Amino acid sequence: MVSDSTASSAPAGRRVALLTLGCARNEVDSEELAARLHADGWQLSQEADGADVVVVNTCGFVEKAKQDSIDTLLAAADGGARVVAAGCMAERYGRQLADSLPEASAVLSFDDYPDISARLGAVLAGEELTAHVPRDRRELLPITPVARRDQAVSVPGHGARTIVDDATPAHLRPVLRHRLVGGPVASLKLASGCDRRCSFCAIPAFRGAFVSRTPDELLAEAQWLASTGVRELVLVSENSTSYGKDLGDPRALEKLLPQLAATAGIVRVRASYLQPAETRPGLVEVIATTPGVAPYFDLSFQHSAEPVLRRMRRFGSTDRFLELLASARELAPDAGARSNFIVGFPGETRADVAELTRFLTAARLDAIGVFDYSDEDGTEAATLDAKVPAATVRRRYDRLLSLSEELCAQRAEDRIGSLVEVLVDAVDADADAAMGVEGRAAHQAPEVDGATTLVASGAGAPGRVELAALRPGDLVRARVTATEGVDLVAVPVEMIDAAVRP
């Protein structure tokens, strides 16, 4: 089922809109659903207008994301289409969501994904689908990771395993994916689920235990993505540093990265969702030194004060985290680094906040996400004592957010005068406007880490690249001349690898 981004000519009454909320992992899951529906004759759209049924791939991570999902479902229902809730929030709450949201015609589980066409057909026929009772999906797979491969469990983003036997060579298997959004960048899902037990996180309970995709399957999908014009692969999962442990090879990611980078047409591979406690020296070296792999470290620190980390059921400290960053920068001095942090976790003290401030000040991160703590259903943290008062959480959040913005802007300024490799994402060739070319340097992941605007150099400058000649997917070397917050402004000086022209 190799599928491109061209909509099928489906019969009337079979128009489906797929609306995706949340993270890049959800985007990959939506493209699996799209492939199944496309193969069965559905006409696909990302706009609710004109659709007969709207599938909302919901996010269930934190309260704001859940509210966004509800709002999207209600807005789609107001348009007159039948509305179906899928994704993380639907999986997490099941029948409870169905009972509280009568506007939704159905609430689907991950177990419904292999039969998504039949489920939507039933919805259009006016049939009532009984929503599932939520369960801990970790219990569906063996505790031992290497025993999980032969289990018949629906895992979003791993749909090919439900169609062909694992013994079939990867290059002969269908790529169960239909791109909903074009462009030179695409996510590639390494694995699903998580075996960690962070006390603040509910994701493992509804996403399930950790399951890797095999290297040959990933390489085959990378080749297919490249054939659709993709130039950068962003590797996503709940925990990329666990990749391969259920395949019997804890160094699998270190081996896979160079192979992906060697894929014809791919100029950059970016790993994301790295756990500091599992980021081994060998992996640091591969990310920092392999041609075609972005020297970029998306590390899930969450905090740096040891007492808070222990209550989070995590490991590390300010000094250990700084040592990890230093080891990467010793190999790649300009390596990018980003992380997220939770402030106001139960038991957090002023001393803990001071320790986190010390870390942020010394870490020189390119991008920092700050989140204010809130209790999540079903998590251990929700039951902890020593809750930080809401007003205090807000003050700490505002202070850390302001500090983070200042520090990241300073880090961007440090790059003025340096050379960066920029992948062009978009070109605004409007004749009535100045030429606008936007891309991302190696330390800038899509959507979350800022961007680089390419501008013209002075007339006659040696080695200059004409902006008008640039196209999405081009990889150019550029010199940073200015910054705007975390964003860079740079002058292209050399074409490294041009994208194929139509």
Side-chain angles (χ1 to χ4, degrees):
M1 191 184 306
V2 178
S3 178
D4 59 26
S5 57
T6 304
S8 64
S9 55
R14 299 273 285 184
R15 299 184 300 273
V16 56
L18 286 162
L19 309 183
T20 306
L21 304 176
C23 64
R25 301 184 295 274
N26 260 15
E27 294 172 4
V28 176
D29 295 349
S30 286
E31 293 191 347
E32 177 193 312
L33 294 176
R36 295 182 186 277
L37 293 165
H38 182 269
D40 207 30
W42 290 80
Q43 182 177 344
L44 302 173
S45 171
Q46 288 189 282
E47 300 292 336
D49 292 345
D52 299 293
V53 59
V54 177
V55 177
V56 180
N57 190 348
T58 60
C59 179
F61 182 39
V62 294
E63 194 59 39
K64 183 181 184 303
K66 289 184 281 189
Q67 188 57 54
D68 287 345
S69 296
I70 294 293
D71 292 343
T72 303
L73 287 160
L74 292 175
D78 287 343
R82 295 183 181 272
V83 178
V84 172
C88 291
M89 185 178 180
E91 177 64 45
R92 185 176 181 183
Y93 292 103
R95 189 171 299 173
Q96 179 184 346
L97 178 61
D99 291 344
S100 62
L101 194 71
E103 292 85 354
S105 298
V107 173
L108 302 183
S109 167
F110 295 148
D111 296 326
D112 293 306
Y113 281 23
D115 300 311
I116 185 66
S117 183
R119 298 293 185 271
L120 298 192
V123 167
L124 284 183
E127 298 178 24
E128 182 175 347
L129 302 182
T130 301
H132 62 283
V133 176
R135 54 182 172 175
D136 189 333
R137 293 190 72 85
R138 291 171 293 190
E139 298 175 357
L140 302 180
L141 290 168
I143 293 176
T144 305
V146 293
R148 297 172 185 166
R149 300 302 308 167
D150 299 325
Q151 304 300 310
V153 174
S154 179
V155 182
H158 300 236
R161 294 180 63 213
T162 68
I163 294 179
V164 294
D165 189 277
D166 280 347
T168 305
H171 67 281
L172 298 179
R173 302 178 194 176
V175 175
L176 194 65
R177 184 165 180 177
H178 177 109
R179 293 196 72 193
L180 292 169
V181 179
V185 184
S187 297
L188 181 63
K189 196 170 194 177
L190 286 175
S192 288
C194 185
D195 288 341
R196 300 185 70 87
R197 293 295 185 268
C198 300
S199 63
F200 56 83
C201 185
I203 290 175
F206 57 83
R207 274 289 184 178
F210 187 88
V211 179
S212 301
R213 298 176 69 195
T214 60
D216 57 347
E217 181 183 341
L218 291 166
L219 291 167
E221 186 166 325
Q223 293 168 6
W224 177 78
L225 287 168
S227 75
T228 71
V230 170
R231 303 275 280 163
E232 177 176 331
L233 300 173
V234 182
L235 309 185
V236 299
S237 69
E238 276 77 24
N239 177 5
S240 296
T241 39
S242 281
Y243 177 72
K245 72 176 188 179
D246 52 326
L247 305 177
D249 185 0
R251 296 186 58 208
L253 184 56
E254 299 169 35
K255 300 173 183 176
L256 178 66
L257 283 167
Q259 293 177 290
L260 289 171
T263 302
I266 298 299
V267 296
R268 179 185 288 165
V269 178
R270 183 185 304 277
S272 61
Y273 302 102
L274 307 176
Q275 288 289 340
E278 299 178 24
T279 304
R280 299 169 299 277
L283 179 59
V284 171
E285 181 177 1
V286 167
I287 293 174
T289 65
T290 303
V293 175
Y296 171 83
F297 293 85
D298 175 15
L299 294 157
S300 177
F301 290 128
Q302 302 300 344
H303 213 283
S304 72
E306 290 188 72
V308 177
L309 288 168
R310 298 303 174 266
R311 289 171 73 87
M312 289 180 169
R313 294 199 180 279
R314 297 176 67 86
F315 304 95
S317 66
T318 293
D319 292 338
R320 288 175 64 183
F321 292 162
L322 290 176
E323 289 171 2
L324 175 58
L325 291 169
S327 70
R329 288 168 176 153
E330 182 177 359
L331 296 168
D334 293 329
R338 80 169 324 272
S339 192
N340 295 322
F341 299 89
I342 299 172
V343 296
F345 192 80
E348 183 188 65
T349 66
R350 291 181 180 177
D352 295 328
V353 176
E355 183 69 357
L356 178 55
T357 300
R358 180 171 81 90
F359 173 70
L360 293 175
T361 303
R364 297 170 57 235
L365 299 175
D366 293 278
I368 298 170
V370 181
F371 296 88
D372 49 340
Y373 172 81
S374 62
D375 287 338
E376 278 297 311
D377 299 337
T379 64
E380 180 186 356
T383 68
L384 294 177
D385 57 7
K387 291 288 196 295
V388 180
T392 303
V393 173
R394 174 53 57 175
R395 285 197 303 273
R396 292 176 181 177
Y397 169 82
D398 290 342
R399 187 164 68 251
L400 267 294
L401 180 63
S402 178
L403 174 64
S404 297
E405 291 173 348
E406 178 183 349
L407 292 171
C408 292
Q410 290 175 357
R411 176 63 173 155
E413 290 177 0
D414 291 342
R415 295 186 183 274
I416 292 177
S418 68
L419 289 171
V420 293
E421 294 186 358
V422 178
L423 182 76
V424 176
D425 285 332
V427 177
D428 180 3
D430 187 342
D432 297 326
M435 175 66 66
V437 180
E438 184 173 287
R440 291 169 297 100
H443 69 279
Q444 295 171 320
E447 300 182 2
V448 295
D449 294 341
T452 297
T453 300
L454 297 177
V455 297
S457 60
R464 70 191 182 99
V465 176
E466 293 287 350
L467 290 184
L470 293 176
R471 296 292 182 270
D474 287 345
L475 184 67
V476 301
R477 185 168 288 110
R479 189 172 298 279
V480 180
T481 59
T483 65
E484 298 175 3
V486 297
D487 297 329
L488 306 182
V489 178
V491 174
V493 298
E494 179 186 4
M495 176 71 75
I496 300 173
D497 194 312
V500 176
R501 268 43 178 175

